Amino acid sequence: MSDPSPRIDAERVRRRIERLAQFTEADRPYTRRAFGTLHAEARAWLAEEFRSAGLAPAFDAGGNLVGRRAGTRGDGRALACGSHIDTVVGGGRFDGIAGVMAALEAAQALDEAGVRLGHDLLVFDFLSEEPSDYGASCIGSRALVGRLTPAMLAGTEPGGETLERAVRRAGGAPEALTGPLPDAARLAAFLELHIEQGPVLEREGVPIGVVEGIVAIGRMSVTLHGRAGHAGTTPMALRRDALVGASALVQDVWERARAAGPGFVATVGRLEVLPNGANVVPGEVRLVLEARSLDEGAVRAFLDESERRARGTARTLGLELEAEVLDTAPAVRSDPRLMAALEGACDARGLAHRRMSSGAGHDAMEVARVAPVAMLFVPCRDGLSHHPDEHADIADVAAGATVMLDALRTLDDELARGHR
Amino acid sequence: MSDPSPRIDAERVRRRIERLAQFTEADRPYTRRAFGTLHAEARAWLAEEFRSAGLAPAFDAGGNLVGRRAGTRGDGRALACGSHIDTVVGGGRFDGIAGVMAALEAAQALDEAGVRLGHDLLVFDFLSEEPSDYGASCIGSRALVGRLTPAMLAGTEPGGETLERAVRRAGGAPEALTGPLPDAARLAAFLELHIEQGPVLEREGVPIGVVEGIVAIGRMSVTLHGRAGHAGTTPMALRRDALVGASALVQDVWERARAAGPGFVATVGRLEVLPNGANVVPGEVRLVLEARSLDEGAVRAFLDESERRARGTARTLGLELEAEVLDTAPAVRSDPRLMAALEGACDARGLAHRRMSSGAGHDAMEVARVAPVAMLFVPCRDGLSHHPDEHADIADVAAGATVMLDALRTLDDELARGHR
């Protein structure tokens, strides 16, 4: 870190983020859906930016736009960073984008300072991290690690086009997606910067979050069966009101999740009442309960305990309860050495930092299957994301890019010294 | 009651109820929608049954099928009874029907015994008591009392036909609906038998419920505004979860309504969550709270207190609450003399009875605007109504018809002796 040298240009980061924001559907900013024309145009622009930063752009078989700069050692081992530039409908200007721009800026800073890493450097713009119209999400990062299955590629959007065809349109080579891509085996480390998409850093005034991992997600569908009845003619004492049971569950989940301490969240986000008439005692309620934590055991235990307690309440109310565990996503842990490199960079720059978990999934979660990963979060205003008002201060994005740059240089040294 | 004489024929009641049940859409029993072909065919049959019971059938301007038998006094004053034979979609064989058949049987018993009342006797089959496709309900009884407004008559069903046109098709004369119909001014009393549509009489083993009145209904729409957020990235401590607030309201309403004692009910039957995604903290919940009681003040107080308490909870949770009182239907009290006549008839026949309120609306509620009314309830299985499995024992319907017959004779004497 003692070089004279590589410096992040915050103004350039700002300009690029503003320029990229112009690639949006005019009537619903900010919308740049993967596989659409605006997305292709934005990537054509991005490829030129890569070039201006000394990165050779090319699409891999998964349709990821990858900027490459060869290292001095020539052993093929690579350090990688990046994120994605596709958006949800009516999304923002920073989700994913900040990560690609920070990675690009770090590469450009190295290039401008004439600093060449020992490792090759790869900057990824992953294809379609956001849920796509074809049914899958994290399409490019899944492809990188060999998890974009034939079934996923056969998925179609409402117009009937298959994902396979769409990946080809996006520059990929779906016939080559038979296992991890060549880059996967070369990765010594992957770093992803992302806006927090939550309010913690902003509230605490901390500019950098070092992500310990992406939480495990457990989901359980719960159906409470009571008995529909006329709201005028069914006395209170003879009711079997499914919504009363469901409300008790919501209250219980709320109280217990709040008591579970930081890093644990649980939510009933989806709830439907049947028949849902103002003058009908609810006969059935279907809801989905989810819990998230880095501690998978805590997630499972919370769901189990929620079910046990809801069964007790249901019995008291004369309801029957059906519970079914839906998909469970395991936790993904960041690599301790990569976290240490990020924290060391923060300390050297005098930037406050805190460890935190990521409650949302990211491309890094896929990459973790083939390489050590770590993420850093920067604050975003009001925790807002997937919204046109999504905002991050450029100074924070630039600070994050600086930390990433410094960490890449640390890791370039450390990982060359025989640690793999 | 000391005549040799008029006797209810339970077997005839059973046959008629079974025959009427055949007028149903074949693929969704029991469906006989007002204004439909099956309804018209059923009424043609019913008119003949009226005739066989000594009742002269005719449609009034409101499309009610009215069977008439002249009284001995010839002063135009009339005693009336009846209900309706239209059904909801997928309804039952007894709702409304039992009341028309009991009234018809009482008239026939008088006729067969050669007993002629002093008052004229009217048996009503009211048009479209159930909510119609034209937007209104209790169409015939509203017409009788002069409350079928031009706005209601201008209502259209999805196919575009106006209610005015439909009433004409059903035998009415909508141009004459400018005020109460001639029969309205002649009514000395109106009695309606109905299945309870609730479980109380069956549970208590009591064959006759004497209805003290039809409850007041108060409805309030409540919207809780929180803040939608990512269920993974929004810590529990920073959430403003609208569903947590709504669940507290549901619990509170449940506890307080149960404590309010018999005759009071309150229900949250309709509740919608926005955006209703499994991974999104609920940003908004819209619900409808209703309360019913014979005591209108208690209904109002309950809604007020529910709002007050919900506001407190909302404040604690960082939610905003909007509450709006929707339609409020006033309570309708039965006439004490009519109730006494029903109870006297029960006592004389050794039939157990209890007073109760009606939690649902009925044609009698409309008729009460122009004449003293009372209702009697008979038990129905499991409290089930508006369902193909709706069931009442014919013995109970026949017992109710006997009570109605006896009460009509009592009232015929009492009301002739100079009272009103």
Side-chain angles (χ1 to χ4, degrees), chain A residues 88-136:
Chain A
V88 296
V89 172
R93 297 172 298 153
F94 298 90
D95 175 357
I97 297 152
V100 175
M101 295 306 144
L104 166 58
E105 182 58 31
Q108 190 153 11
L110 289 169
D111 186 56
E112 289 177 342
V115 175
R116 201 171 191 83
L117 299 181
H119 291 78
D120 292 353
L121 178 62
L122 309 184
V123 174
F124 278 92
D125 164 29
F126 288 110
L127 178 61
S128 193
E129 191 265 354
E130 302 292 356
S132 74
D133 298 337
Y134 302 82

Side-chain angles (χ1 to χ4, degrees), chain A residues 196-200 203 219 227 230-236 238-239 241 243-248 250-251 253-254 257-258 264-273 276-282 288 290 292 317 358-360 381-384, chain B residues 196-200 203 219 227 230-236 238-239 241 243-248 250-251 253-254 257-258 264-273 276-282 288 290 292 317 358-360 381-384:
Chain A
E196 181 195 342
Q197 300 183 282
V200 175
R203 296 253 172 165
R219 287 203 182 127
R227 177 166 169 158
H230 191 297
T233 62
T234 314
M236 299 309 293
L238 302 180
R239 294 185 175 200
D241 186 326
L243 182 56
V244 172
S247 295
V250 171
Q251 294 290 305
V253 163
W254 171 250
R258 289 207 307 174
F264 188 96
V265 291
T267 309
V268 177
R270 184 171 183 81
L271 183 146
E272 283 162 322
V273 178
N276 209 31
N279 64 344
V280 186
V281 177
V288 178
E290 65 154 63
R292 303 189 187 211
L317 294 169
S358 170
R381 193 167 60 201
D382 292 338
L384 202 61
Chain B
E196 180 196 341
Q197 301 183 281
V200 175
R203 295 254 172 162
R219 287 202 182 129
R227 178 166 169 157
H230 192 296
T233 61
T234 315
M236 299 308 295
L238 301 181
R239 293 185 176 202
D241 185 328
L243 182 55
V244 172
S247 295
V250 171
Q251 295 289 304
V253 163
W254 171 250
R258 288 205 307 172
F264 188 95
V265 291
T267 310
V268 178
R270 184 170 184 82
L271 183 146
E272 283 162 322
V273 179
N276 208 31
N279 63 344
V280 186
V281 177
V288 178
E290 67 153 63
R292 303 188 187 211
L317 294 170
S358 171
R381 193 166 61 200
D382 293 337
L384 201 62

Side-chain angles (χ1 to χ4, degrees), chain B residues 82-380:
Chain B
S83 191
H84 65 95
I85 66 160
D86 65 306
T87 74
V88 295
V89 171
R93 296 172 297 155
F94 297 91
D95 175 356
I97 297 153
V100 175
M101 295 306 145
L104 166 57
E105 182 59 32
Q108 190 153 12
L110 289 169
D111 186 56
E112 288 177 344
V115 175
R116 203 170 187 81
L117 299 181
H119 291 78
D120 290 353
L121 178 62
L122 308 185
V123 174
F124 278 91
D125 165 30
F126 287 111
L127 179 61
S128 195
E129 190 266 354
E130 303 291 358
S132 74
D133 299 337
Y134 302 81
S137 62
C138 291
I139 289 171
S141 49
R142 280 179 191 271
L144 175 67
V145 304
R147 296 215 315 141
L148 192 62
T149 63
M152 289 175 185
L153 285 165
T156 54
E157 45 88 55
E161 186 185 49
T162 61
L163 179 58
E164 178 176 359
R165 200 178 158 82
V167 167
R168 193 182 311 282
R169 278 201 297 105
E175 69 282 1
L177 298 176
T178 53
L181 300 186
D183 281 335
R186 309 206 288 122
L187 296 185
F190 174 76
L191 297 176
E192 181 172 5
L193 177 149
H194 206 280
I195 60 169
E196 180 196 341
Q197 301 183 281
V200 175
L201 294 175
E202 182 186 50
R203 295 254 172 162
E204 299 187 354
V206 172
I208 302 287
V210 175
V211 177
E212 298 176 278
I214 296 171
V215 296
I217 306 177
R219 287 202 182 129
M220 188 165 66
S221 103
V222 176
T223 304
L224 288 150
H225 299 275
R227 178 166 169 157
H230 192 296
T233 61
T234 315
M236 299 308 295
L238 301 181
R239 293 185 176 202
R240 291 161 50 199
D241 185 328
L243 182 55
V244 172
S247 295
L249 182 153
V250 171
Q251 295 289 304
D252 180 57
V253 163
W254 171 250
E255 296 301 339
R256 285 166 46 242
R258 288 205 307 172
F264 188 95
V265 291
T267 310
V268 178
R270 184 170 184 82
L271 183 146
E272 283 162 322
V273 179
L274 295 172
N276 208 31
N279 63 344
V280 186
V281 177
E284 186 175 323
V285 172
R286 300 172 188 166
L287 61 88
V288 178
L289 163 64
E290 67 153 63
R292 303 188 187 211
S293 167
L294 265 186
D295 179 350
E296 283 177 51
V299 167
R300 269 197 306 274
F302 189 90
L303 294 185
D304 288 349
E305 177 69 1
S306 299
E307 180 181 343
R308 198 186 63 76
R309 295 167 67 96
R311 282 198 190 282
T313 307
R315 241 188 323 271
T316 309
L317 294 170
L319 308 174
E320 278 157 35
L321 183 145
E322 274 180 88
E324 185 191 356
V325 173
L326 307 174
D327 52 322
T328 303
V332 174
R333 297 271 178 181
S334 295
D335 184 84
R337 196 185 311 159
L338 274 54
M339 284 195 285
L342 291 170
E343 288 168 335
C346 289
D347 290 337
R349 296 279 181 178
L351 290 165
H353 56 91
R354 62 162 285 170
R355 292 202 168 190
M356 60 198 309
S357 56
S358 171
H362 295 289
D363 288 310
M365 195 165 59
E366 291 297 326
V367 181
R369 293 174 178 264
V370 298
V373 305
M375 293 186 71
L376 62 167
F377 278 171
V378 296
C380 63

Side-chain angles (χ1 to χ4, degrees), chain A residues 18-268:
Chain A
E18 287 180 2
R19 176 68 187 99
L20 194 49
Q22 295 171 3
F23 295 96
T24 177
E25 297 182 17
D27 55 345
R28 46 179 190 179
Y30 293 93
T31 303
R32 180 171 54 252
R33 297 291 287 156
F35 307 110
T37 307
L38 289 160
H39 186 240
E41 289 171 4
R43 294 178 111 191
W45 167 81
L46 183 61
E48 289 311 307
E49 298 300 302
F50 278 7
R51 243 185 264 281
S52 76
L55 294 164
F59 288 106
D60 69 12
N64 301 306
L65 176 61
V66 192
R68 294 158 198 279
R69 183 164 185 247
T72 54
R73 285 210 315 280
D75 62 0
R77 301 287 292 160
L79 298 179
C81 46
S83 191
H84 64 96
I85 66 160
D86 65 307
T87 74
V88 296
V89 172
R93 297 172 298 153
F94 298 90
D95 175 357
I97 297 152
V100 175
M101 295 306 144
L104 166 58
E105 182 58 31
Q108 190 153 11
L110 289 169
D111 186 56
E112 289 177 342
V115 175
R116 201 171 191 83
L117 299 181
H119 291 78
D120 292 353
L121 178 62
L122 309 184
V123 174
F124 278 92
D125 164 29
F126 288 110
L127 178 61
S128 193
E129 191 265 354
E130 302 292 356
S132 74
D133 298 337
Y134 302 82
S137 62
C138 290
I139 288 171
S141 49
R142 279 178 193 272
L144 175 67
V145 305
R147 296 216 314 141
L148 192 63
T149 63
M152 289 175 186
L153 285 164
T156 55
E157 44 87 59
E161 186 185 50
T162 61
L163 179 58
E164 178 175 358
R165 200 177 158 81
V167 167
R168 193 181 309 283
R169 275 202 298 107
E175 69 282 359
L177 297 177
T178 53
L181 300 186
D183 280 335
R186 309 205 289 120
L187 296 184
F190 175 76
L191 295 177
E192 181 171 6
L193 177 149
H194 206 281
I195 59 169
E196 181 195 342
Q197 300 183 282
V200 175
L201 295 174
E202 182 185 50
R203 296 253 172 165
E204 298 187 356
V206 173
I208 302 287
V210 175
V211 178
E212 298 177 278
I214 297 170
V215 297
I217 306 177
R219 287 203 182 127
M220 188 164 69
S221 100
V222 176
T223 304
L224 288 150
H225 300 275
R227 177 166 169 158
H230 191 297
T233 62
T234 314
M236 299 309 293
L238 302 180
R239 294 185 175 200
R240 291 161 51 200
D241 186 326
L243 182 56
V244 172
S247 295
L249 182 152
V250 171
Q251 294 290 305
D252 180 58
V253 163
W254 171 250
E255 296 300 340
R256 285 167 45 243
R258 289 207 307 174
F264 188 96
V265 291
T267 309
V268 177

Side-chain angles (χ1 to χ4, degrees), chain A residues 331-355:
Chain A
V332 175
R333 297 271 177 179
S334 294
D335 184 84
R337 195 183 315 156
L338 272 56
M339 284 194 286
L342 292 170
E343 289 167 336
C346 289
D347 290 339
R349 296 278 180 180
L351 289 165
H353 55 91
R354 62 163 287 171
R355 293 202 168 192

